[in-house]
């Protein structure tokens, strides 16, 4: 019996371009590409195509453009919003760039590195370190996520406070457009005001406007000193006061300022008993503070300890836990990074990736928590995130004795409650994970008509046939 996939002329062309192992059609081989790790989004694909070069991507996309074949660009599949998953029709192709993982150049004079889009973040970080540099994007998924996906979602992470989102770390891009043409700007210039900054269109666009195939990224000097301290605190308002004090005292040396609720740490202690979760002496909140300097200077850990002693709310800071060496720093960060997995192991959850002006965070939390308890008695908020840059992961775990199905049936109402209050406080319902398919309805509800019209005009201009990642980001009309 002839395998229909083997006689399909479209797939035959893709095999001719990418090689016989560059096109996956059997269900077993496709399975890893068609489901996100936490299992919320899954789909079906006509084929998974694995190009090995920009030329191969361009040839595949040009053919798809000419034949009306929809393409779902895919990186390391660490996204949480379904942005890299095909629909369930089985007509779309997945274009995964994992074979394109080379580091093309590292320029010490410019402090830049040029990489293919399939390069994993951890590989880039290791290459930069080997040459005495730091690539400061810091994500818990660094071993799996790819640079192309980081750029497509404008990834954030722990170090945004000091270094910015990946948008601020990008000097240039190479992109395959929807008709298969290649737009390349890999000069890596720090300043170029000769017209529109086109790369900004593709960063954060989640593959809906073009497929990123390579990038020039900015490196920074490796820190000569680092200090890391976990501080228990009575409330979020005190955490914000402490942030303001340390920000004024240390400026750009303040690298990370992470907020964690006691409940989030309790989950880590329960599900990861081998991790050294610090005792917070019944404090409902804590912050993880990292300072770094590229110069030797005075002892940074001592400077931080002195600042904590002198700061507002110092009475509650005597229980701070300070890392004394690199190993302890890594273990404290491991506790912070384990929170999402601990919540997953605890059971069903409803997650919100939100941002707020820092001054509105405490009022927002104080307002929303009782509203959530009234709507869903016993719900357990798991709140943590990047307080320094205004990004909270405001997640809800199923009530301890609650029915999981009944809890998840309330998802729409609970999400509406949280997002309505976020927007009322001047915030955003999508901070660093993007929109994907998860938040398309939120785009329709919260984005104004002019913004949506401009986005749709850009989409039509760059992808008039709508073949690039259809059903993502933009809501239905």
């Amino acid at each position: 019996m002839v395998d229909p996939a083997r006689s399909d002329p479209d797939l035959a062309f893709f095999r001719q371009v990418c090689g016989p192992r560059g096109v996956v059609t059997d269900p077993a081989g496709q399975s890893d590409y068609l489901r996100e790790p936490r299992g919320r989004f899954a789909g079906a694909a006509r084929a998974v195509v694995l190009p090995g070069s920009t030329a191969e991507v361009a040839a595949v996309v040009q053919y798809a453009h000419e034949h009306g074949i929809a393409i779902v660009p895919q990186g390391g599949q660490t996204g949480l919003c379904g942005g890299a998953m095909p629909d369930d029709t089985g007509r779309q192709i997945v274009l995964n760039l994992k074979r394109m993982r080379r580091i093309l150049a590292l320029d010490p004079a410019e402090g830049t590195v040029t990489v293919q889009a399939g390069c994993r973040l951890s590989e880039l970080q290791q290459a930069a370190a080997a040459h005495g540099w730091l690539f400061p994007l810091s994500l818990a998924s660094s071993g799996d996520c790819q640079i192309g996906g980081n750029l497509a979602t404008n990834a954030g992470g722990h170090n945004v406070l000091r270094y910015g989102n990946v948008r601020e770390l990008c000097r240039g891009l190479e992109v395959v457009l929807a008709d298969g043409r290649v737009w390349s700007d890999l000069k890596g210039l720090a300043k170029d005001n000769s017209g529109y900054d086109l790369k900004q269109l593709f960063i954060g666009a989640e593959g809906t406007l073009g497929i990123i195939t390579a990038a020039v990224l900015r490196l920074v000097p490796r820190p000569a000193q680092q200090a890391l301290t976990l501080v228990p605190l009575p409330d979020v308002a005190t955490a914000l006061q402490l942030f303001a004090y340390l920000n004024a005292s240390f400026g750009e040396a303040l690298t990370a300022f992470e907020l964690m609720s006691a409940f989030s740490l309790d989950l880590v202690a329960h599900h990861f008993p081998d991790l050294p979760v610090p005792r917070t002496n019944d404090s409902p909140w804590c912050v993880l503070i990292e300072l770094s300097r590229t110069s030797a200077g005075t002892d940074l850990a001592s400077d931080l300890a002195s600042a904590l002693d002198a700061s507002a709310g110092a009475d509650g800071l005597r229980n701070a836990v300070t890392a004394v060496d690199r190993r302890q720093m890594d273990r404290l960060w491991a506790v912070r990074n384990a929170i999402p997995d601990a919540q997953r192991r605890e059971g069903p959850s409803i997650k919100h990736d939100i941002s707020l002006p820092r001054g509105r965070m405490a009022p927002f939390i104080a307002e929303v928590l009782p509203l959530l308890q009234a709507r869903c008695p016993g719900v357990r908020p798991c709140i943590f995130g990047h307080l320094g840059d205004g990004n909270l992961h405001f997640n809800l775990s199923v009530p301890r004795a609650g029915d999981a199905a009944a809890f998840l049936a309330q998802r729409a109402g609970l999400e509406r409650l949280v997002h309505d209050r976020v927007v009322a406080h001047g915030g955003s319902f999508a901070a660093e994970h993007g929109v994907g398919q998860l938040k398309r309805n939120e785009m329709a509800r919260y984005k104004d008509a002019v913004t949506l019209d401009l986005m749709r005009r850009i989409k039509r201009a760059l992808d008039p046939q709508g073949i690039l990642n259809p059903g993502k980001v933009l809501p239905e009309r």
Side-chain angles (χ1 to χ4, degrees):
M1 183 176 180
V2 178
D3 180 359
R6 303 302 302 181
S7 59
D8 186 317
D10 299 335
L11 302 188
F13 176 81
F14 297 150
R15 288 191 185 93
Q16 178 184 343
V17 169
C18 300
R21 300 179 65 182
V23 180
V24 183
T25 56
D26 64 285
Q30 288 189 358
S31 61
D32 289 343
Y33 301 93
L34 302 181
R35 179 178 295 274
E36 283 189 341
R38 67 176 181 170
R40 181 166 183 186
F41 294 100
R46 185 176 175 188
V48 176
V49 180
L50 306 169
S53 68
T54 298
E56 292 180 9
V57 175
V60 169
V61 174
Q62 181 181 7
Y63 185 94
H65 173 77
E66 293 170 351
H67 293 80
I69 301 170
I71 299 173
V72 179
Q74 188 179 83
Q77 300 159 264
T78 59
L80 301 175
C81 297
M85 284 293 109
D87 64 18
D88 58 5
T89 64
R91 294 194 293 265
Q92 301 175 345
I93 66 168
V94 170
L95 193 74
N96 188 293
L97 302 187
K98 71 176 186 178
R99 290 177 60 203
M100 298 174 57
R101 58 192 297 179
R102 292 173 54 212
I103 295 174
L104 301 173
L106 194 148
D107 188 337
E110 289 293 331
T112 60
V113 61
T114 305
V115 300
Q116 290 183 308
C119 179
R120 292 177 183 169
L121 175 56
S122 60
E123 295 169 342
L124 172 53
Q125 291 168 332
Q126 291 162 13
H131 287 80
W133 292 89
L134 171 71
F135 183 63
L137 182 64
S138 178
L139 305 173
S141 60
S142 63
D144 298 307
C145 64
Q146 297 175 13
I147 294 300
N150 297 152
L151 288 159
T153 56
N154 189 27
H158 305 319
N159 291 342
V160 169
L161 175 61
R162 177 164 182 176
Y163 300 107
N165 288 64
V166 74
R167 185 186 299 278
E168 282 74 47
L169 298 171
C170 182
R171 288 277 187 86
L173 289 181
E174 177 186 81
V175 179
V176 175
L177 304 177
D179 58 6
R181 290 181 297 161
V182 178
W183 172 73
S184 183
D185 181 13
L186 296 177
K187 296 187 296 292
L189 298 175
K191 289 184 177 181
D192 183 359
N193 285 331
S194 57
Y196 304 132
D197 189 359
L198 294 177
K199 69 178 180 294
Q200 302 297 349
L201 284 173
F202 304 102
I203 300 173
E206 302 187 45
T208 61
L209 302 179
I211 300 173
I212 297 170
T213 51
V216 182
L217 301 166
R218 181 169 64 90
L219 302 175
V220 300
R222 289 181 62 79
Q225 285 193 77
Q226 290 175 282
L228 186 67
T229 297
L230 185 141
V231 182
L233 293 171
D235 50 51
V236 176
T238 302
L240 290 165
Q241 291 170 7
L242 178 59
F243 171 81
Y245 182 84
L246 295 178
N247 195 37
S249 301
F250 293 100
E252 68 171 13
L254 183 55
T255 307
F257 196 93
E258 298 285 301
L259 179 73
M260 296 173 281
S261 66
F263 175 66
S264 67
L265 292 182
D266 289 344
L267 289 183
V268 174
H270 177 69
H271 291 286
F272 296 95
D274 292 337
L275 282 178
V277 178
R279 296 175 60 87
T280 58
N281 295 315
D282 298 323
S283 296
W285 300 93
C286 66
V287 290
L288 188 62
I289 304 163
E290 181 174 289
L291 302 182
S292 62
R293 282 184 185 149
T294 56
S295 59
T298 59
D299 182 69
L300 197 54
S302 297
D303 291 346
L304 177 56
S306 298
L308 292 177
D309 287 341
S311 68
D315 289 345
L317 306 182
R318 58 182 176 272
N319 296 314
V321 177
T322 300
V324 299
D325 54 26
R326 182 73 252 176
R327 177 175 175 273
Q328 288 190 8
M329 290 183 69
D330 290 343
R331 287 171 74 82
L332 276 178
W333 273 117
V335 170
R336 160 62 181 86
N337 290 333
I339 294 174
D341 199 18
Q343 190 178 24
R344 179 185 61 81
R345 296 185 185 197
E346 183 70 8
S349 61
I350 298 171
K351 299 189 175 184
H352 308 92
D353 170 40
I354 61 174
S355 62
L356 290 152
R358 283 191 297 267
R360 301 307 305 165
M361 282 193 173
F364 165 79
I365 292 172
E367 177 184 353
V368 170
L369 289 182
L371 295 176
L372 289 170
Q373 290 296 337
R375 176 72 66 89
C376 181
V379 67
R380 296 178 292 167
C382 181
I383 304 170
F384 62 100
H386 320 300
L387 187 67
D389 60 56
N391 177 197
L392 287 181
H393 301 296
F394 196 89
N395 300 340
L396 309 176
S397 282
V398 61
R400 191 174 301 279
D403 176 77
F407 172 65
L408 293 177
Q410 299 185 66
R411 182 191 299 275
L414 294 172
E415 288 178 346
R416 177 64 51 81
L417 188 160
V418 171
H419 289 159
D420 278 355
R421 301 320 305 155
V422 166
V423 173
H425 282 271
S428 171
F429 58 87
E432 65 176 359
H433 293 159
V435 175
Q437 39 185 312
L438 176 66
K439 299 178 183 177
R440 292 177 72 207
N441 291 337
E442 309 299 81
M443 292 284 284
R445 179 174 177 82
Y446 299 112
K447 289 292 186 182
D448 64 88
V450 174
T451 297
L452 288 175
D453 179 60
L454 289 173
M455 289 182 177
R456 289 188 171 112
R457 285 172 182 254
I458 293 170
K459 173 68 171 176
R460 286 197 301 272
L462 293 178
D463 182 19
Q465 294 188 30
I467 67 167
L468 292 182
N469 218 5
K472 313 299 178 9
V473 182
L474 288 172
E476 298 289 347
R477 288 187 177 274

